[in-house]
Amino acid sequence: MRAIRHFLQLKDFSRGELEYLFERTRWIKEKFKRYERYWPLADRTLVMIFEKASTRTRLSFEAGMQQLGGSAIYLNTRDSQLGRGEPVEDAAEVISRMSDLVMIRTFEQSIIERFAAHSRVPVINGLTNQYHPCQILADIYTYIDLRGSIEGRTVAWIGDANNVCHTWLQAATLFGFALHVSTPPGYEVRPDRAGIVDASHLKTFADPYEAARGADLVTTDVWTSMGFEAEDAVRKKAFERWQVNAQIMKAAKSDALFMHCLPAHRGEEVAAEVIDGPQSVVWEEAENRLHTQKALMEYLLLGRVE
């Protein structure tokens, strides 16, 4: 019997495993584009637990499981016992006896780790306050698909040092690229929070233009993530110099890509001329969530199928 593997943060997988997922992503995506049926997960069930709202995460996992021949069940805290204080450990015991795979989108990383510790089936992190590994899977695949290897490249993160930024930092260590981060004072990236011991791939900048200078990829996220809404006014004032605009993109390489995990606020963290401009690949990123997660689910349930 294969040991249960979970995907709770990006560094749970080796670089070799992630590169295998990207190869599978390409193959699965091409079959999907040719309308060729591929049902390796027939009769398998994915349970999706949402404690935070989502559009892309629910759509990509639910559609992805269906396209692989399986089915998906949506649970949230309003309509299940999870919202009435059922212990995470008890929920894990029950849900994992009735399903083959669980995806959780929640708050603290400790919640998903407690669930995984009591689960009989693989658990996927659909987002926590600390990490967003499925998003970075799609982002790295998108870069490789459009530009080739990301090793040795420079990625500039402009804005809040949040869960997406922390996962980019894990990716920099795994794939060997430089991560330039620029945040307002008081919102700096913390390698220890990202779970990184070796931060040699990280370079921080007070000036966002300097962070973007010579970058191959510029990326950002909203200034106020879910759970920080009470700080919205303060954050808008603190982050106003950290908007990715045309001047920031000019500091990067002429063929640099722009990415955003979405949803985006035009006029805040990104100017409309950038996200709607020719260097933006945000729609490709969003689409690739579907295909990278299909490769992930296939790997967690079937292992290598090559």
Side-chain angles (χ1 to χ4, degrees), residues 165-197:
C165 177
H166 286 147
T167 314
W168 269 112
L169 185 50
Q170 290 192 354
T173 302
L174 282 164
F175 288 96
F177 60 83
L179 182 66
H180 291 184
V181 175
S182 181
T183 67
Y187 298 91
E188 292 86 354
V189 64
R190 289 177 47 190
D192 61 325
R193 191 169 171 81
I196 294 295
V197 176

Side-chain angles (χ1 to χ4, degrees), residues 81-156:
Q81 296 297 331
L82 297 169
R84 299 176 64 189
E86 182 175 26
V88 170
E89 292 78 5
D90 292 0
E93 290 284 358
V94 173
I95 292 170
S96 67
R97 285 170 183 259
M98 299 182 182
S99 62
D100 301 286
L101 187 62
V102 178
M103 186 283 298
I104 304 176
R105 185 176 171 95
T106 186
F107 294 91
E108 291 300 321
Q109 182 74 11
S110 60
I111 295 174
I112 198 168
E113 290 177 353
R114 286 167 54 200
F115 191 103
H118 291 80
S119 174
R120 294 180 172 220
V121 300
V123 178
I124 297 172
N125 181 349
L127 177 144
T128 62
N129 289 348
Q130 285 74 38
Y131 307 113
H132 199 353
C134 291
Q135 181 63 52
I136 302 305
L137 266 188
D139 292 357
I140 300 288
Y141 174 79
T142 302
Y143 186 87
I144 293 172
D145 191 42
L146 296 172
R147 291 287 188 268
S149 174
I150 199 169
E151 183 173 4
R153 305 284 189 165
T154 298
V155 175

